[in-house]
Amino acid sequence: MAVQLETPSVNSTLKLPYTVEGLIQVFTTSHRDFFTSVMAQSLRIAGQGTSVLVVQFLKGGINQGHEKPIQLGQKLDWIRCDLPRCIDTPHLEENETESLQKLWQHTQKVVLQGKYSLVVLDELSLAINLGLILETEVLSFLAQRPTNVDIILTGPEMPKSILDVADQITEIRRSQRP
């Protein structure tokens, strides 16, 4: 007697009996720091075939902009402002403010289109605290995002309103000073 098992084809779409809901995660600290664990998580997820976007709002220096994302592997896009320097002050030149706003508008657009499953918004709290991106816009963006998209927000002194909507908050503390 021969038995034939029914196996799904490679190109079939998996139908889950439940909906996958994305999380809003916050990684924060009292000092300005690079979030190595967030980048490692992004690379790992992209390596598993999930589309990832990393946006660094205050980093410049490589004249990149949203039109020229750096691709790390096939599934991770990394974009920065099209600026010759990193932003560390609320006092920007007009072209710097325009570049930052273009990056913010582009980020919102591609996330709302559902192009990425994980989106990292690096140093977003600093952009908010410097008055470069409005806190109310960020809250609206988080509320309107596709429900299956995971969002990771990083930066020091994350506003309480954003912490209130976060599903997970990781506070990084130094155990000793170097």
Side-chain angles (χ1 to χ4, degrees), residues 110-131:
V110 297
V111 170
L112 293 176
Q113 290 172 346
K115 186 174 178 183
Y116 298 96
S117 295
L118 171 63
V119 178
V120 177
L121 305 178
D122 187 47
E123 293 192 335
L124 184 68
S125 67
L126 281 174
I128 293 169
N129 293 333
L130 291 173

Side-chain angles (χ1 to χ4, degrees), residues 96-161:
E96 294 174 324
T97 301
E98 184 179 315
S99 178
L100 180 72
Q101 286 302 311
K102 281 182 182 178
L103 181 57
W104 173 232
Q105 297 306 318
H106 171 77
T107 301
Q108 292 177 82
K109 183 177 106 182
V110 297
V111 170
L112 293 176
Q113 290 172 346
K115 186 174 178 183
Y116 298 96
S117 295
L118 171 63
V119 178
V120 177
L121 305 178
D122 187 47
E123 293 192 335
L124 184 68
S125 67
L126 281 174
I128 293 169
N129 293 333
L130 291 173
L132 304 172
I133 295 177
L134 296 176
E135 186 175 332
T136 54
E137 286 184 14
V138 174
L139 290 168
S140 176
F141 163 73
L142 293 174
Q144 294 174 20
R145 82 186 199 290
T147 58
N148 64 314
V149 175
D150 288 311
I151 304 282
I152 296 178
L153 310 165
T154 73
E157 301 173 10
M158 192 66 67
K160 183 180 179 332
S161 63

